[in-house]
Amino acid sequence: MSDKMMDQIDVKILRMLQQDARTPFKVIAEQCNVSTDTIKNRFNSLKKKGIIRHSTIVIDPKKIGLGNIVLFGIRAVERYSDSVINMIKKIPGICVVTRAIGEYDIEAILILKDIEHIGTTKEIIEDDPQVKSVNVDIFVDKPLLCPKNFEFE
Amino acid sequence: MISMKLDKIDNTILETLKEDGRTSLREIARKLKVSPDTISNRFERLKKERIIIDSTVVIDPSKIGYSFITRFSIKVKPAYSTQILDKIIKIPSIIVASKIVGGYDMVAISVVKNFKHLCKLRDAILEMPHVEKVEIGMWIETMEICSHYFLI
């Protein structure tokens, strides 16, 4: 899947845009010694192949009044219970929900306003008859986000 | 806590760039019927206030050779947590690291290529001085619902 899907120019484009999604194509073109149109075409093709999902900005949730990042670890009665995942998906503030192998059957990350909100959300999850237990881990300080840490072969 | 009030212009800038981080400021100005300079000043202010931390492209890990995501929960000697956190985030493939309150002291989330890679990552964390315990949760069928605050 991954081999020969990308060449050096593609990797360079990804690297530069990961650092700053707003880098002008002209600047990337100069670095790669190719035309701006080439970069533009490559970028569109990376998007079409689904390698680049989208470009976005990263916002500090605290600064817009969303306080806490919370990791929920859930053990469900029936392992991999779809109904639990569907219930969690609908909770406002949900970022990620996943099935898991390990201590928990389902893990989810939510962005929640304050401690009360964490409490009520935990109760909502616990109230589901399919849920056996809920563990809560609250991120403290600023989490270090490093989406640029991908390794390209 | 919230250091600045956001008005309609700020919110439109945030919403537009969340959807497409490459949207030109000129285009946003046209949409809002204000001058490009206004948008440019606001954009700079949002960055200066650290409301916008960064801009990036979101890459699908499965398309570049990664097969799943793993969450590591880590127990450390508390006095060393900041120092260990700084080291963990530098390990290639780790995309999030944070101190937490709960059963463990910190959490790290990593994209993983295969089981061998997973073992290597776990060992890299375990071998750090003052790390006492590492617990692993392997994520499968991960659904990313909102990537604007938290990129996975």
Side-chain angles (χ1 to χ4, degrees), chain A residues 69 139-145, chain B residues 96-99 150:
Chain A
I69 302 174
F139 284 47
V140 287
D141 295 343
K142 222 168 241 162
L144 304 172
L145 300 177
Chain B
V96 179
S98 179
K99 293 185 196 174
F150 203 88

Side-chain angles (χ1 to χ4, degrees), chain A residues 96 98-99 107 109, chain B residues 68-69 71 109 137-140 142 152:
Chain A
V96 181
T98 182
R99 298 174 192 286
E107 298 187 20
I109 293 172
Chain B
F68 55 92
I69 294 172
R71 183 249 330 138
I109 295 170
M138 281 172 46
W139 290 8
I140 43 175
T142 302
I152 287 197

Side-chain angles (χ1 to χ4, degrees), chain A residues 30-70:
Chain A
E30 278 159 14
Q31 292 258 333
C32 295
N33 275 321
V34 295
S35 73
T36 307
D37 276 346
T38 306
I39 301 296
K40 212 179 199 167
N41 292 337
R42 292 298 190 99
F43 175 76
N44 287 332
S45 145
L46 285 167
K47 278 218 295 206
K48 221 164 129 197
K49 286 184 204 162
I51 294 171
I52 293 180
R53 282 196 190 137
H54 65 289
S55 39
T56 189
I57 45 170
V58 184
I59 297 169
D60 183 347
K62 279 218 166 89
K63 292 271 171 72
I64 54 169
L66 292 164
N68 301 280
I69 302 174
V70 185

Side-chain angles (χ1 to χ4, degrees), chain A residues 114-147:
Chain A
D114 47 36
I115 297 290
E116 278 106 90
H117 197 189
I118 297 171
T120 52
T121 306
K122 182 169 183 256
E123 277 166 22
I124 291 170
I125 300 173
E126 274 171 342
D127 279 346
D128 189 301
Q130 305 277 358
V131 169
K132 255 199 282 192
S133 70
V134 179
N135 180 71
V136 176
D137 286 316
I138 303 166
F139 284 47
V140 287
D141 295 343
K142 222 168 241 162
L144 304 172
L145 300 177
C146 204

Side-chain angles (χ1 to χ4, degrees), chain A residues 78-93:
Chain A
E78 239 175 279
R79 269 175 143 243
Y80 305 161
S81 171
D82 281 332
S83 71
V84 177
I85 287 184
N86 286 330
M87 177 268 297
I88 292 170
K89 246 164 62 182
K90 291 189 198 107
I91 300 174

Side-chain angles (χ1 to χ4, degrees), chain B residues 6 15 17 19-20 23-24 28 35 42-46 56 60 72 75 80 86-87 93 95 98 104 125 129 137:
Chain B
L6 301 177
E15 287 307 317
L17 293 179
E19 293 311 316
D20 181 358
T23 314
S24 72
I28 302 173
S35 77
R42 293 301 187 97
F43 179 64
E44 289 308 320
R45 192 175 67 146
L46 287 166
T56 191
D60 183 347
F72 297 95
K75 250 193 140 31
Y80 298 96
D86 284 342
K87 267 173 43 190
S93 298
I95 50 176
S98 179
Y104 285 81
I125 298 171

Side-chain angles (χ1 to χ4, degrees), chain B residues 12-81:
Chain B
T12 308
I13 294 173
L14 290 176
E15 287 307 317
T16 312
L17 293 179
K18 261 159 68 174
E19 293 311 316
D20 181 358
R22 291 189 60 84
T23 314
S24 72
L25 300 181
R26 197 178 297 255
E27 203 179 310
I28 302 173
R30 217 175 297 137
K31 201 157 92 180
L32 284 168
K33 300 194 173 72
V34 296
S35 77
D37 279 348
T38 307
I39 300 298
S40 160
N41 290 339
R42 293 301 187 97
F43 179 64
E44 289 308 320
R45 192 175 67 146
L46 287 166
K47 283 204 293 193
K48 211 174 124 223
E49 298 281 339
R50 303 284 296 155
I51 292 169
I52 297 177
I53 305 171
D54 219 340
S55 78
T56 191
V57 284
V58 181
I59 290 173
D60 183 347
S62 72
K63 294 273 164 70
I64 56 165
Y66 287 105
S67 1
F68 55 92
I69 294 172
T70 293
R71 183 249 330 138
F72 297 95
S73 294
I74 304 152
K75 250 193 140 31
V76 299
K77 289 224 175 72
Y80 298 96
S81 59

